Amino acid sequence: MSVTIPPVLGVFRLNCPPVKENVELVTNHLRRARIIHSGLKFSTSKLVQRFGEHGSHGTMETQEIQLPVATYLTVEVIPHADNPHAFFEGYTNATIDIAFIAGILEIVDPAIISEKVFEGRINIPGQYVTSMEGPMTLTSKGTATVEDKVDDVLKVYEYIAEVNKEDRDRLILACRWFMKGHDTPNSIDKFLSWFISLEIFPCEGSADVPRMLRDFIHAHINNELEPGYIKRIMELGRISGARADIVHDGLCNIPNDRSQEFSSYIEKLEALVRVSIKHLAGMEYEGELDKWLLPHKNIRDVVRT
C-alpha cells in the first residue's frame, strides 16, 4: 500500500548566468528537477505554538514564501511511504532525493550551488500541509520561565571565559553539531550530528567511542555502577554499530523494522550530548541519564557492593 503526503520542495540558488529558458533535469511522476531564472512564490504550513495561563496548544498556519528573481535549481518530489504507518518515511526519502540531485549537479559543475534557500513540504491547490516534518516530542517544562534561565546562560559565559582555549573551542564545536542534530527532522542526519558531537567531547583522541562514553559516565555521572552495566544499558556498542551501518554500509534511510531501534538510539544520543556539553560548560548533572541508569535502585547486579 502506498501513502501519498504533501510534496516536498528543495530550492537552491545557483552561481551561474541566467538561463534563457527553463532547463528540465529530471521529470517523472514522482519528481521534477529543473533550473529556472525567475522569482518564486509558494506556501507551506508551520506549527505555531501558543501559550496560555493554564497550558499551551499548537495550530498549523500557512506561511507565504516569496524569493527574488535569480537562477534556481528547484527539485519537487512527491513522497510516498511503503508502510502506511511510517508517516515520516516519505518525507525523509524525499529529502534524500533532493540532496542526491543537488549533489550530482554540484559534483558535475563545482561551485554552481551558492546556497540552499528552502527545503520542506509545500501546499498545492486543494492540498495543505497539516503535519510536522518529523516526529513530535512532547516535553514537560515545569514552572520555570525563560527569564529564570538567564543567569544560567550568563554563568556559562563567565565559566568558558576562564577555561583554556582548547576546551572552549571544543565546547563551541560540540554545541554546533548538537544544534545541527537538533534542527534537522531527518533521523540519519540527527544520529550522525549527535554522534559527531560526542566524538568532539568526551570521546576526543580515541576511536573507541563506546569505551570513552562508558568511562565518562562512570567517572562523572555515577561511579557506583559497573562499567559493563553502563555500556549495556545505554546501548553504547549498538549505537556505535548503527553508526557503522550508516557510514560504512551506506544506510541512507531507516528501514521500517529498525525504526524503534533507531528511535531508542537517538533518544540516548541526545541525552548523552546534553550531559557532555553541560559537563564541559561547568554545569551540574541533572539526571538526564537516570531513566536508563537507574530504572530500579539498589539492584545488586547493577550497583557494586
Side-chain angles (χ1 to χ4, degrees):
M1 179 179 180
S2 178
V3 179
T4 300
I5 54 182
V8 178
L9 176 67
V11 181
F12 302 81
R13 184 177 287 112
L14 299 185
N15 177 33
C16 65
V19 292
K20 295 180 180 179
E21 57 184 38
N22 295 346
V23 178
E24 298 286 340
L25 296 179
V26 179
T27 304
N28 57 43
H29 68 291
L30 291 178
R31 58 189 60 82
R32 184 184 188 188
R34 55 184 182 152
I35 297 173
I36 64 173
H37 182 78
S38 70
L40 289 173
K41 185 176 181 180
F42 52 89
S43 71
T44 184
S45 300
K46 294 293 183 182
L47 178 67
V48 178
Q49 193 169 8
R50 305 189 186 282
F51 292 86
E53 183 178 354
H54 303 293
S56 65
H57 69 279
T59 58
M60 297 299 292
E61 298 189 5
T62 299
Q63 177 183 5
E64 299 292 337
I65 297 173
Q66 187 163 353
L67 300 177
V69 174
T71 303
Y72 297 103
L73 166 68
T74 65
V75 185
E76 186 172 338
V77 181
I78 306 298
H80 63 283
D82 295 330
N83 180 355
H85 301 291
F87 188 80
F88 301 111
E89 177 192 345
Y91 177 81
T92 299
N93 291 341
T95 58
I96 291 171
D97 278 352
I98 291 170
F100 173 71
I101 293 171
I104 291 298
L105 177 62
E106 176 63 24
I107 293 295
V108 170
D109 191 353
I112 190 171
I113 293 181
S114 294
E115 62 174 329
K116 179 169 69 176
V117 295
F118 178 83
E119 182 179 88
R121 294 190 180 122
I122 59 170
N123 301 319
I124 58 176
Q127 186 177 11
Y128 291 84
V129 179
T130 57
S131 69
M132 302 277 288
E133 294 175 350
M136 179 187 296
T137 300
L138 301 179
T139 304
S140 175
K141 297 294 291 181
T143 58
T145 66
V146 68
E147 290 87 352
D148 297 329
K149 300 296 183 179
V150 171
D151 286 344
D152 294 336
V153 174
L154 295 178
K155 287 177 183 177
V156 171
Y157 268 94
E158 292 172 0
Y159 177 84
I160 64 174
E162 301 299 325
V163 302
N164 62 65
K165 183 179 185 302
E166 180 182 349
D167 285 347
R168 183 165 57 249
D169 289 350
R170 198 172 291 280
L171 172 61
I172 292 170
L173 190 58
C175 283
R176 180 179 181 182
W177 282 100
F178 167 64
M179 287 308 300
K180 282 182 179 290
H182 180 276
D183 293 343
T184 178
N186 185 295
S187 295
I188 294 290
D189 294 350
K190 194 179 292 290
F191 182 102
L192 290 178
S193 296
W194 287 343
F195 198 97
I196 290 171
S197 183
L198 291 172
E199 289 182 303
I200 295 165
F201 182 83
C203 303
E204 72 276 16
S206 175
D208 192 346
V209 171
R211 177 180 62 81
M212 295 290 285
L213 287 173
R214 179 203 66 190
D215 292 349
F216 171 79
I217 294 170
H218 186 262
H220 300 289
I221 305 302
N222 193 322
N223 62 9
E224 295 185 341
L225 297 178
E226 290 285 359
Y229 170 80
I230 293 172
K231 181 178 179 180
R232 183 174 70 255
I233 201 66
M234 293 304 298
E235 300 185 288
L236 302 178
R238 293 179 180 273
I239 289 173
S240 186
R243 183 257 185 195
D245 291 341
I246 298 169
V247 175
H248 301 303
D249 297 341
L251 181 69
C252 66
N253 53 31
I254 299 172
N256 296 332
D257 60 357
R258 298 189 68 182
S259 60
Q260 289 187 338
E261 171 193 347
F262 267 86
S263 293
S264 174
Y265 296 160
I266 289 170
E267 183 182 11
K268 291 181 173 71
L269 280 172
E270 180 180 10
L272 287 164
V273 171
R274 288 180 181 272
V275 168
S276 301
I277 289 175
K278 288 176 71 173
H279 178 80
L280 196 55
M283 302 171 69
E284 294 183 359
Y285 174 70
E286 296 181 297
E288 292 87 348
L289 305 181
D290 286 357
K291 66 180 291 186
W292 300 289
L293 296 180
L294 300 174
H296 306 289
K297 294 184 179 180
N298 301 322
I299 297 180
R300 284 178 292 179
D301 65 345
V302 173
V303 180
R304 293 186 296 187
T305 58

